[in-house]
């Protein structure tokens, strides 16, 4: 429901006509089911998490449940483990998003320009995105397995255990993520590419631009909105990475991410209060990222082309 | 600055359909050549082949004596102004105009000099810091032209640049373009579907129909000696009246009078045939307003006017007549081709604005029969001698 | 202008005006009938699906037993007890993950949600206190307790209690021995055997002398905590002073005993006798490492012995079934090799830390607990009685190599034949050191693992760090 701007000064109470009132009521009736579902599914768990995060509560020790207000938060924010996990998460996010942006852009260009076998190439590029993350994580875990995986045999690494130390584990996790979500990035970028007017390319060609110059001076500047959307979505998703870490290393070798930390506190340790605090902090971080992105890009998402 | 020469240019698409069918044209250095025709006649395709945005299926294209068929657009040193301006929305006007120079990595000083000179020429100096979205249509058009001019290219190509502007602005911009071209003296190829632009702007005009060049001549030549029905119907507004005519005993029978055969036509060849006669609205007059000196050139007749339109500086009268099926079908087909409605056959007569001819009443009209054209309805050709299509510069 | 809608309403109006039937104001009979049948059909469908959700009332109650992965003997026991139950109940197994921590996690998730489908569970010993305190497992009444735990060893039985009540029946128990190659011990001149007590120093030196390895489980997992706990206990200390205190527990690992334990591990990790992958070693890798040429000594559970005898049995069976003379000859050789290998197997009590003070070997084992939310408590108790009977325990030991909790089984001749070291095992179980019995055990073991890993980085300050970390974690002052 959009709010209408009042053009009447606030001292004058506008008279609401019968028709307007009926319309409003109809609007509420139509929205009500969806609104309540949203409330139940989204708002309630969030509020419960905030409520729990203000308590010290372990399911296996219900007698010692009590209110601690913001102690959980101050503890988490000053804990070395939390910051280490934040560091790992940021590292994974940056690596995967940057690589996906580059590869995704290349794929988008291929999908945009291809003439022969267009359907086949597009499907082939999009297939990884259709696979469930857990399945993909398992597939890559088996691929990197020391004795049975194909990575070791293809590259002649004989029994190198990728999951035995931090950097190689990180590489395996990142590879799985990149393989899985590059198609998503390339889809969003393809949408942006398709909406750059062909005429601009032609004008640039005539003006004397090489392919590379056209890409950087014409195509990319006009795709700012699409690039921003793609980056924003991917960064938010990448920051919340869980499946690949859980399946491949179970958080060992220091590859624990923030969502994994929340899982471990909440479910493994049954420290629901602490786990909720970590979850709320994760949520706030994600909101912060979105906010920073939008400010950074200074792009009005609804403004697509300049020559209106 | 260079001459452009097209020899037997053909553009064929995958399904074998020739969008441009064996077009040969020689554009002299510094000449303003117009390509005109209804939509789908291949004029834009031809232009895009010249600039290099489309491949040439067969034929030779030379710029400045050099064959350029295989060259990329950036190597042909041509500048193009697009129908939708194709301005870069993320750059300011200054940067838009400077864009080709920046691509060529010219130093900032040179760029500034050239851009300011062009901005001066096109009166864009106050808008240099703005973005295209903040400009009006006419201003954007000028920016597009500025971007083309700043390159000091060998030729300018215009692809229907004025069709997105409203009528008044179009008139203004037309004169701007004309003035500019004369000042810079660059070879220009200009594509339009509007025959008014064609007539007013060009040194020579090439009329295209379904990919085939109909006639390439000066505007005057096209107006006074159209080589076929198509060119006759296309050029001139209001369009030429196309009437059924039968030649009997050396006289041409028209729906409302019989006139002698005009000179230049072999009576024997035309005898007994059903032909199409072409008379422009301007070749008629209210009989009362004709000078005595002129009167002998033509013939008077009586007809009932259906509708009159008085426009201040001119007046039109519409006189319906009967037309045989064959001719009517021909004329209707031609009308559809020219993107016009096929309507009932009627004479459009241009009258003196002072004339008081009333609707629904018979009146006396005079027609200048010496200006009449006769066309073969099957081939469409003008019977008045096949003049060579004027592909050479005047 | 009339349209169809108008025409329809006008017809209705006409109907109202001319027909005497008052029902004409509502929908017409035919459409009403159709609507009624539709509603009935929908209702029947819904009811049907709802009823289908309810379990069948007929048939014996099905008890779901969550088992840890083994060689299939638990499954066999389930079948046997089902047959013996004669229709009073049926036992159905559900498999838990391989890793002990993961097993606990699965059970915690279900029980925290009040899952009624968890009837029986094979619970790793240290987690019982947590489950009992949380109300996840059913308490056994005094008289059930008397009936079910008759003749059971005190060590495992103590660990199955919390705050004086019995919450699980020990299903099997386990302890570690020091395994060695007799040939290596001879070469090193080390006097070791089932009745001799050696110290860690002696073992390490012997291994260094012969260029062999001492295999211990020191990966960052529960097995490492087991090792550390036994080292501390063998040195005369305890990890927690008062485990029953729950959250307010006082760690006592920061003591002479703790530092001695750290020292042993540090020495081992830095010596030539350490396995190259010591920081990643678990039961499986140590077993494999011991069987290699460089293997000398190993602390591990008895399954390593049953594994070897199992291989021998398998070879013998193959030999029976062999067709060609070549295969027979080949298998004969293999059997001879395997017998030699088994003959070279030596076992002794788990190494001591302090000379003269007998070691406190690790205590493992599985408890059989009943879920607190089960629908069939009576049937479950009966099932537990059957599954932990001496007969079941004997079957289980022969099948898996885990030790019975009922004393009488140790005297069984079949057991003594299969396990020549059964006396030593029995004694080790009696003097074994259980891990701290506290509801916060997962936090404590995580704290220990975090501070003590990798073994090569241990210092004399490590036990102090552990104590600090334990207190901080339990009071929510640090994340773990």
């Amino acid at each position: 429901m959009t709010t209408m701007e009042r053009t009447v000064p606030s001292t004058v109470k506008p008279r609401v006509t019968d028709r307007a009132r009926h319309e409003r009521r109809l609007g509420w009736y139509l929205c009500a089911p969806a609104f309540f579902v949203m409330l139940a599914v989204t708002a309630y768990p969030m509020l419960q998490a905030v409520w729990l995060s203000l308590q010290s509560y372990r399911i296996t020790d219900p007698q010692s449940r009590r209110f601690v207000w913001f102690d959980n938060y101050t503890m988490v924010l000053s804990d070395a483990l939390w910051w280490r996990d934040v560091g790992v998460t940021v590292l994974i996010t940056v690596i995967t998003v940057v690589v996906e942006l580059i590869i995704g852009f290349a794929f988008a260009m291929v999908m945009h320009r291809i003439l022969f076998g267009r359907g086949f190439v597009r499907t082939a590029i999009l297939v990884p995105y259709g696979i469930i993350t857990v399945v993909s994580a398992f597939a890559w875990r088996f691929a990197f397995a020391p004795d049975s995986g194909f990575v070791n045999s293809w590259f002649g690494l004989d029994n190198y255990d990728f999951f035995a130390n931090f950097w190689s584990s990180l590489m395996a996790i990142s590879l799985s993520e990149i393989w899985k979500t590059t198609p998503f990035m390339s889809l969003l970028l393809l949408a942006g590419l398709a909406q750059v007017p062909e005429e601009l390319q032609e004008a640039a060609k005539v003006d004397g631009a090489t392919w590379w110059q056209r890409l950087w001076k014409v195509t990319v500047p006009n795709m700012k909105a699409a690039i921003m959307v793609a980056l924003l979505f991917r960064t938010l998703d990448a920051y919340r990475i869980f499946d690949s870490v859980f399946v491949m290393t179970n958080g060992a070798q220091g590859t624990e991410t923030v969502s994994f930390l929340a899982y471990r506190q909440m479910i493994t340790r049954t420290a629901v209060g602490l786990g909720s605090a970590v979850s709320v902090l994760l949520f706030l971080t994600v909101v912060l990222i979105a906010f920073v992105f939008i400010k950074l890009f200074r792009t009005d998402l609804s403004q697509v082309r300049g020559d209106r | 600055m260079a001459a452009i020469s097209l020899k037997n240019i053909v553009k064929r698409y995958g399904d074998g359909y020739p969008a441009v069918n064996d077009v040969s044209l020689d554009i002299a250095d510094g000449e303003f050549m117009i390509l005109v025709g209804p939509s789908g006649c291949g004029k834009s395709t031809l232009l895009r082949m010249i600039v290099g945005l489309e491949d040439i299926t067969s034929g030779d294209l030379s710029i400045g004596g050099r064959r350029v068929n295989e060259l990329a657009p950036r190597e042909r040193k041509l500048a193009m102004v697009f129908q939708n301006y194709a301005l870069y929305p993320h750059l300011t006007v200054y940067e838009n105009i400077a864009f080709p120079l920046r691509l060529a990595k010219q130093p900032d000083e040179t760029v500034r000099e050239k851009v300011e000179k062009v901005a001066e020429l096109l009166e864009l100096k106050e808008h240099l810091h703005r973005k295209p979205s903040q400009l009006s249509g006419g201003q954007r058009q000028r920016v597009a032209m500025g971007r083309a001019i700043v390159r000091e290219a060998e030729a300018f190509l215009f692809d229907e640049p004025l069709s997105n502007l409203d009528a008044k602005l179009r008139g203004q911009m037309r004169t701007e373009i004309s003035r500019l071209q004369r000042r810079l003296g660059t070879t220009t190829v200009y594509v339009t579907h509007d025959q008014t632009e064609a007539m007013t702007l060009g040194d020579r005009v090439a009329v295209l129909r379904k990919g085939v060049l109909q006639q390439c001549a000066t505007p005057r030549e096209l107006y006074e000696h159209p080589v076929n029905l198509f060119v006759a119907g296309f050029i001139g507004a209001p369009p030429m009246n196309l009437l059924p005519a039968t030649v009997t005993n050396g006289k041409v029978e028209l729906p409302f009078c019989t006139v002698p055969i005009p000179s230049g036509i072999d009576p024997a060849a035309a005898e007994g045939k059903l032909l199409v006669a072409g008379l422009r609205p301007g070749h008629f007059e209210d009989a009362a307003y004709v000078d005595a000196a002129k009167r002998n050139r033509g013939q008077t007749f009586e007809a009932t006017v259906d509708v009159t339109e008085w426009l201040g500086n001119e007046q039109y009268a519409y006189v319906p007549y009967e037309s045989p099926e064959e001719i009517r079908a021909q004329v209707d087909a031609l009308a559809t081709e020219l993107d016009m409605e096929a309507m009932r056959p009627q004479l459009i007569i241009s009258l003196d604005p002072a004339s008081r001819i009333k609707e629904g009443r018979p009146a006396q009209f005079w027609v200048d029969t010496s200006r009449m054209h006769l066309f073969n309805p099957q081939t469409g050709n003008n019977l008045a001698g096949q003049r060579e299509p004027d592909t050479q510069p005047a | 202008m009339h349209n169809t809608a108008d025409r329809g309403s006008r017809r209705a109006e006409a109907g109202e005006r001319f027909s005497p039937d008052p029902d004409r104001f509502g929908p017409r009979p035919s459409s009403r009938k159709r609507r009624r049948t539709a509603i009935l059909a929908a209702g029947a469908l819904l009811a049907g699906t709802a009823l289908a959700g309810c379990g069948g009332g007929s048939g014996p109650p099905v008890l779901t037993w969550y088992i840890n992965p083994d060689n299939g003997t638990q499954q066999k026991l389930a079948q046997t007890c089902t047959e013996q139950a004669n229709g009073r109940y049926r036992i159905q197994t559900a498999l838990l993950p391989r890793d002990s921590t993961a097993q606990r996690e699965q059970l915690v998730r279900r029980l925290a949600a009040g899952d009624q489908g968890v009837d029986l569970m094979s619970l790793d010993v240290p987690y019982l206190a947590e489950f009992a305190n949380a109300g996840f497992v059913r308490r056994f009444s005094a008289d059930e307790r008397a009936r079910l735990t008759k003749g059971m060893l005190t060590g495992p039985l103590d660990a199955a209690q919390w705050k004086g009540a019995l919450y699980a029946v020990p299903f099997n128990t386990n302890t570690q021995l020091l395994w060695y190659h007799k040939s290596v011990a001879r070469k090193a001149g080390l006097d070791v055997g089932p009745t001799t007590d050696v110290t860690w120093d002696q073992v390490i030196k012997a291994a260094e002398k012969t260029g062999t390895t001492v295999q211990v489980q020191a990966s960052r997992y529960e097995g490492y905590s087991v090792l550390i706990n036994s080292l501390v206990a063998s040195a005369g200390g305890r990890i927690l002073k008062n485990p029953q205190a729950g959250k307010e527990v006082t760690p006592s690992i920061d003591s002479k005993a703790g530092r001695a334990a750290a020292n042993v591990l540090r020495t081992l990790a830095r010596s030539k006798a350490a396995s190259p992958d010591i920081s990643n070693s678990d039961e499986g890798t140590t077993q494999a490492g011991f069987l290699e040429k460089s293997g000398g000594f190993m602390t591990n559970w008895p399954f390593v012995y049953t594994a070897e005898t199992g291989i021998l049995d398998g070879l013998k069976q193959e030999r029976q079934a062999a067709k060609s003379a070549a295969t027979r000859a080949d298998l004969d050789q293999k059997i001879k090799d395997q017998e030699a290998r088994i003959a070279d197997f030596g076992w002794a009590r788990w190494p001591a830390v302090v000379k003269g003070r007998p070691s406190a070997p690790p205590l493992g084992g599985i408890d059989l607990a009943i879920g607190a939310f089960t629908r069939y408590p009576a049937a479950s108790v009966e099932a537990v009685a059957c599954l932990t009977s001496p007969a079941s325990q004997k079957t289980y030991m022969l099948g898996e190599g885990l030790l019975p909790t009922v004393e009488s089984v140790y005297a069984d001749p079949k057991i003594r034949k299969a396990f020549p070291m059964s006396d030593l095992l029995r004694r080790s179980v009696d003097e074994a050191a259980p891990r701290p019995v506290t509801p916060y055990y997962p936090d404590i073991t995580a704290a220990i693992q975090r501070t003590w890993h990798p073994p090569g980085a241990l210092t004399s300050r490590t036990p102090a760090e552990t104590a600090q970390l334990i207190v901080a974690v339990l009071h929510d002052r640090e994340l773990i």
Side-chain angles (χ1 to χ4, degrees), chain B residues 269-299:
Chain B
E271 183 59 42
K273 300 220 179 67
L274 179 60
L275 304 170
V276 175
L279 284 162
R280 296 209 178 268
H283 295 160
F284 293 82
E285 193 43 84
D286 184 346
Y289 284 80
V290 179
D291 296 337
K294 259 182 27 181
R295 209 173 263 271
N296 292 334
R297 282 222 308 266
Q299 191 129 344

Side-chain angles (χ1 to χ4, degrees), chain C residues 446-460:
Chain C
I448 295 174
Q449 288 168 33
R450 179 157 128 187
T451 42
W452 284 60
H453 193 272
L458 285 166
T459 68
S460 55

Side-chain angles (χ1 to χ4, degrees), chain B residues 201-239:
Chain B
L201 285 175
D203 288 342
R204 278 194 302 148
V205 178
V207 181
L208 290 153
R209 175 200 194 193
K210 294 204 176 114
V212 180
L213 180 65
Q214 304 293 302
Q215 186 174 4
C216 177
T218 58
R220 184 180 287 272
E221 182 80 13
L222 285 176
Y223 189 86
E224 292 178 356
H225 302 283
V227 86
N228 61 22
L229 255 183
F230 180 82
V231 177
F234 188 74
I235 301 285

Side-chain angles (χ1 to χ4, degrees), chain A residues 163-206:
Chain A
F163 300 115
N165 58 48
F166 176 70
W167 286 107
S168 53
S169 305
L170 204 71
M171 195 199 93
I173 292 172
S174 304
L175 195 62
S176 166
E177 281 287 303
I178 290 169
W179 182 82
K180 169 113 187 19
T181 40
T182 301
F184 176 72
M185 192 75 125
S186 66
L187 264 185
L188 289 179
L189 292 174
L190 176 65
L193 255 185
Q195 141 270 286
V196 173
E198 193 58 33
E199 259 200 346
L200 292 184
Q201 304 275 0
E202 290 182 349
K205 269 191 217 173
V206 173

Side-chain angles (χ1 to χ4, degrees), chain B residues 221-348:
Chain B
E221 182 80 13
L222 285 176
Y223 189 86
E224 292 178 356
H225 302 283
V227 86
N228 61 22
L229 255 183
F230 180 82
V231 177
F234 188 74
I235 301 285
M240 183 188 279
N241 294 298
L242 299 171
L243 320 163
T246 16
V247 179
T248 32
N249 301 329
K251 293 227 177 243
V252 183
E253 271 176 34
L254 299 170
F256 39 82
C257 62
T258 307
V259 300
I261 267 197
S263 59
I265 296 181
D266 181 7
E271 183 59 42
K273 300 220 179 67
L274 179 60
L275 304 170
V276 175
L279 284 162
R280 296 209 178 268
H283 295 160
F284 293 82
E285 193 43 84
D286 184 346
Y289 284 80
V290 179
D291 296 337
K294 259 182 27 181
R295 209 173 263 271
N296 292 334
R297 282 222 308 266
Q299 191 129 344
T300 45
F301 63 93
E302 191 178 278
T304 317
V305 171
D306 196 18
V307 173
T308 59
E309 283 173 356
W310 184 81
L311 289 141
N313 61 332
E314 41 193 8
Q315 192 175 172
Y316 294 109
Y318 295 84
V319 179
Y321 60 88
E322 285 301 318
S323 182
E325 194 50 49
E326 200 186 313
I327 301 299
R328 177 139 184 207
Q330 265 285 69
V331 174
D332 286 351
L334 186 63
T336 341
E337 233 190 287
L338 295 171
D339 300 325
M340 297 196 304
E341 284 291 317
M343 307 272 266
R344 65 184 68 195
Q346 56 187 5
L347 261 189
I348 306 175

Side-chain angles (χ1 to χ4, degrees), chain C residues 57-342:
Chain C
S58 57
V62 177
L63 305 174
T64 313
W65 180 21
Y66 281 83
I67 59 172
N68 54 306
D70 63 4
N71 287 335
T73 318
Q74 277 177 96
Q75 174 66 36
K76 224 167 35 166
L77 286 180
Q79 281 166 345
T80 318
C81 284
T82 305
E83 284 161 25
Q84 286 184 8
N86 253 330
R88 281 193 309 279
Y89 57 79
R90 254 185 39 206
I91 303 178
Q92 176 182 291
T93 57
L95 205 58
L96 288 171
R98 183 157 289 278
D99 182 55
S100 160
T101 327
Q103 290 165 14
R104 170 193 160 275
E105 201 171 296
Q106 284 250 346
L107 289 171
V108 161
R109 282 160 58 181
R110 285 182 179 279
L111 293 167
D115 189 354
Q116 289 187 323
V118 180
D119 300 299
L120 303 163
M121 58 188 115
S122 294
L123 192 58
D124 203 2
V125 166
Y127 304 133
L128 184 69
E130 182 187 16
F131 279 41
N133 193 52
F136 289 167
V137 290
R138 180 186 173 282
R139 192 164 65 158
F140 287 90
S141 69
D143 129 303
E144 280 166 354
R145 173 181 176 160
R147 207 169 20 111
L148 266 55
T149 60
K150 219 188 312 208
M152 283 203 175
L153 302 171
T154 38
L157 198 50
D158 282 340
Q161 296 176 49
W162 174 247
K163 294 219 165 97
L166 184 74
Y167 281 91
V169 175
F171 179 51
N172 58 57
T173 185
N174 213 351
T175 186
Q176 286 193 358
L177 300 176
L178 173 67
W179 305 90
Y180 60 93
H181 289 299
K182 289 188 181 136
S183 47
V184 172
R186 259 197 310 271
K187 207 161 106 187
L190 183 67
D191 175 25
V192 62
T195 47
T196 341
D197 282 340
V198 288
T199 64
W200 281 96
D201 278 334
Q202 287 175 295
V203 172
I204 292 171
K205 284 208 176 66
E208 282 177 335
K209 202 159 136 192
T210 54
T212 54
T213 57
V214 180
Q215 300 275 352
V216 296
Q217 296 88 40
S219 175
R220 192 170 157 170
Y221 79 128
E222 182 60 25
Y224 192 36
S225 293
V226 167
L227 174 63
I228 294 167
N229 182 59
S230 284
L231 285 172
V232 171
S234 300
R238 310 172 61 180
I239 294 185
L240 299 176
K241 197 184 284 187
N242 49 345
Q244 294 261 344
K247 208 164 168 180
E248 302 304 327
V249 80
T250 316
S252 51
I253 191 176
D254 183 19
S255 57
K256 212 166 99 179
R259 286 188 287 275
N263 197 31
V264 166
L265 270 177
R266 191 179 127 105
T267 315
L268 174 59
R270 290 180 176 214
S271 83
K272 278 191 287 128
S275 157
D277 63 347
I278 186 173
S279 301
N280 260 337
S281 53
D282 60 18
E283 284 90 349
T285 63
T286 47
Q287 179 189 26
F290 180 67
L291 292 170
E292 279 177 22
K293 255 203 160 58
S294 59
F297 300 85
M298 167 178 70
T299 53
N300 214 335
W301 314 91
F303 79 92
V304 295
Y305 186 77
T306 39
E308 295 306 308
T309 52
I311 292 175
L312 185 62
D313 288 337
L315 284 172
K316 286 192 174 147
Q317 276 179 3
E318 268 187 65
R319 170 77 174 65
Q320 289 263 13
K323 300 286 172 59
S324 70
T327 340
R328 273 201 295 268
D330 175 55
L331 284 168
D332 275 334
Q333 182 59 39
K334 285 208 179 101
I335 289 174
K336 230 173 79 181
D337 288 337
Q338 184 64 11
E339 282 172 338
R341 201 175 292 137
I342 293 180

Side-chain angles (χ1 to χ4, degrees), chain A residues 58 61 79 263 265 268-269, chain C residues 104-105 440 443 479-480:
Chain A
R58 295 199 67 164
D61 190 6
D79 192 286
Y263 167 81
Q265 299 304 312
T268 312
R269 278 188 74 201
Chain C
R104 170 193 160 275
E105 201 171 296
Y440 285 90
D443 283 349
L479 280 175
I480 185 95

